[in-house]
Every structure is written in C-alpha cells, then in structure tokens.
Amino acid sequence: MVARLVIAAPASGAGKTTVATGLMAAFTRRGMAVSPHKVGPDYIDPSYHALATGRPGRNLDPWLVGEERIAPLFGHGAAGADLAVVEGVMGLYDGAGASEFASTAHVARLLDAPVVLVVDAAKQSRSVAALVHGFASYDTRIRLGGVILNRIGSERHESICREALAESGVPVLGAIRRSDAVATPSRHLGLVPAAERRTQAAQAMDAVAALIAASCDLEELLRLARSAPPLPAAPWTPGPSAPASVRIAVAGGQAFTFGYTEQAELLTAAGAEVVPFDPLTDETLPEGARGIVIGGGFPEVYAAELSANEPLRKEVAAFDGPISAECAGLLYLARQLDGRPMCGILDIEARMTGTLTLGYRDAVAVRDSVLTRDGERYRGHEFHRTAVDPAPERPLFRWRGGADGFADDRVSASYLHLHWAGSPHLAPRFVEACRAQSF
C-alpha cells in the first residue's frame, strides 16, 4: 500500500503547484521516496515534480487513458515509494467540458485518496470557513482531510482563519505566508519548464521545500496520507519486455520538453532501444536510428537556434525511416517556423499566433499512417499558440468542429497530443514499422 494525498484547490491560481511541489521536496529531503503525479494533460508541472523528487513526474488523466487505467498507472509510478503526492488540476470539481469526468475529484475517487484543499486566503478571513464547508459537503464521496491556507498576511489573519475553520470540522494542516522567493516565471503556455531553468529551479526548490516544511504540519499530512486504504488494482505494465531490435531517436533538450514517461517505457517493451537527442545542440541523429519521435515543447522560443543547426535539419530531412511528431514536432518538420528554415519534410509554414488553442479532442483517424489506421478513435488534447499554412487537404484526424494532421506511409504529424498508455497499440506498431525499415 502506498500512502497518498491529492492536493486540490477551489480554482486555478490558489497555489496547488507550490504546495504540491513543496510537499514533494520537503518529504524527499526527509529521506522519503516520493512518487509525483499530476491530474490532467499538463507537461510542465511534472517537470518540477521530477526535480523535487528525483523520480519521473507522471500524469493521471482519465480522458486520455480511460478511468480503468488510473489506479494501475498510479501503482506503476508509485512502486517502491513511501508516499505519493498527486497535484490536481483547476478547481477540485472541474472536469472535461461541463462534466466532472477527469476532474481532480474524479481521480481522487479512483485512487481512494484523501484530499487536501489549498485555499488562497489573501482577500478573505472568516469566509474561508464557508468556502471549505461548501467543498467538503458538495460530494460526500470525496474525503476532504484538511486545508492549507495560502498567502496568509499576518499572525492575526492566520488566527482569524483558523478560528473560523475550527467550527467547520476540517483541520488546518498549514498556513503559508506570502513569499516571492518561490515564484516561477511564466510565458504564453504557462510556467517555464524546469529543463529550461534548471539552476534557478533547483534554487527555488530548496526555498519552497523550506517554506512548506516551516508552514505545514508534515507529520499530520503524512498520517493523513497513510490513512488511505489499499488499492485493489494491479499496477500497469508496458508489456513483456522484448529484446531491443531497433534504435529509435527521441527528441529532447530545452525545445522539446513535452512527453509522457510511459511512451518510452512502451517503446522499450515493444523492442526499441530509446536514445535521446537534442535538436538544439546535436548535429547528427543517434547512430543507427531507424525511427524518430518528436514530441511537444517550445520550438517557437528556440526557432533561431533550431534553424541554425543546419546539419541536423538536413539529416532529418533526408531520413527515410518512420517519424512520429506531435505539436512542436509538427512545427520542426515544416519548411519554416516564423520565417526561419526548419526541416522541410512537410510542405507547410508555421507561425506564432495570438490565439490559444486548448482543449480535449475526441478524434477519429480518417486515414492510415505509420501510427494510425482509418476509423480508429483517439482521445487527445491540443495546447498551442501557433498555426500552419496550408491546412491539410487530407487530414489525419477529424473531430467535432475540427480536423488536423499530416500523414504518409512513414510520417505521422499533428497538433494532437496522445498519451500512448491510452492506446497501447501505438508503440508496437511504430516499432514494427521501424524494424521493417531495417531490412
């Protein structure tokens, strides 16, 4: 049994990420093995979770992988851990569209885990009790085990909030004063990933760990986490490991930081040797690579550097093996990105826009590709502020009100982010395509 907590909030911006990451760091610094998790499709928060714990940050998203896989994926990620901390998404009950599906509350129920509510108390005092009472009584299937007050202004402010909450029956497990030392810079898609500011992020991690340790009752939080019952679900597995028979290059570095840990595990289990490469600095692909996977990230921020690495761009352009590209990968395969030359595999031009495209997509593959087959259904998400011209004449995916993606017999490229654990046939299909190119 793994002790576990879900860190939630009434709404975005209350301080969930600071508290969850701080708890991960504080318990890790106590010598505990802490397993970090994030509700939803977010790639950036898990990068800080990994820095805090030294373990991969893993996502738990019922929309992307199916609710039946949430407890197994949790068990897989938390194997060998003393404690698991799950950071929620948005407000506690906010799910996909107008439903509660894929909300923090939904995941907390699937994990049978106690919830700690982070409340921004900056502009209220006794009203926090009414707020907490509402969240505690709204759904009795959720076990609200305590509250952490964030952005407390003074000792008197804290005292008033604690006195009001004493009448609610929900214990106060921490009170955090306002602090600029733990702030994380943001840009057009949210927080800047930890990989882009590793030194500063490590320093901030020390600060947030100290802040949380000084402000929260770690012993009581651990006791609450240990009250979670055993989970009956068997841990997820990427499958029986096959001997490595083909080498697959996976893009990484500061420009390509978006990816789910399970993708590499699935590729490895299917018989791939997964080798990372950095399109910013590596002038050649890994020797012997027969396939390329290019996930999401921020190529628009690094367009000049990516374009300047002409030797690698030319090698990718001449590559004759299968390529899987998502979002940032799509842009890297274009002729140009904001006027700068890219690889030119796709006859399109990409550019930054002022419009955020964000949301879950219930998509249908409408043509075959190296990954998909016509008629297959996929659940994914979009998250970008870019556009490509021209739009595909024969898109790879269609969904209600939209279409996207470019494909041929060896390339699959689209804006759609997929969690391969939700479609476990993708990894063996891609590996087999790469293996076929080896002969």
Side-chain angles (χ1 to χ4, degrees), residues 250-304:
V250 177
Q254 294 185 354
F256 297 95
T257 56
F258 291 6
Y260 298 121
T261 300
E262 292 81 3
Q263 183 185 57
E265 294 172 340
L266 284 160
L267 286 169
T268 299
E273 178 190 0
V274 175
V275 184
F277 74 103
D278 187 345
L280 286 176
T281 60
D282 293 333
E283 294 189 346
T284 62
L285 289 167
E287 184 178 358
R290 295 310 308 149
I292 302 175
V293 174
I294 312 174
F298 290 98
E300 62 271 25
V301 176
Y302 296 96

Side-chain angles (χ1 to χ4, degrees), residues 328-368:
L330 167 69
L331 308 184
Y332 187 56
L333 298 186
R335 285 198 315 269
Q336 292 185 348
L337 172 55
D338 285 337
R340 294 183 172 91
M342 291 291 135
C343 297
I345 289 178
L346 301 177
D347 192 19
I348 57 174
E349 294 187 1
R351 55 185 169 79
M352 281 287 294
T353 71
T355 302
L356 175 62
T357 301
L358 171 67
Y360 286 125
R361 304 288 182 251
D362 192 355
V364 178
V366 290
R367 59 183 298 191
D368 290 353

Side-chain angles (χ1 to χ4, degrees), residues 25 39 70 104 119 145 192 211 255 261 270 289 316 353 395 398 422:
V39 178
I70 294 302
T104 303
V119 176
V192 176
L211 176 67
T261 300
V316 172
T353 71
R398 289 193 183 276

Side-chain angles (χ1 to χ4, degrees), residues 159-239:
S159 177
I160 292 172
C161 291
R162 284 183 178 273
E163 181 180 334
L165 282 162
E167 303 170 12
S168 73
V170 181
V172 177
L173 301 177
I176 304 168
R177 297 295 171 89
R178 300 168 191 171
S179 173
D180 295 328
V182 298
T184 301
S186 299
R187 60 172 177 238
H188 57 282
L189 291 181
L191 298 181
V192 176
E196 297 187 42
R197 51 185 301 272
R198 190 162 294 278
T199 300
Q200 305 96 311
Q203 293 169 349
M205 203 60 62
D206 291 336
V208 75
L211 176 67
I212 295 301
S215 307
C216 297
D217 188 340
L218 297 186
E219 293 300 331
E220 190 60 24
L221 283 161
L222 187 58
R223 184 203 65 76
L224 178 63
R226 287 173 172 165
S227 71
L231 279 175
W236 176 85
T237 174

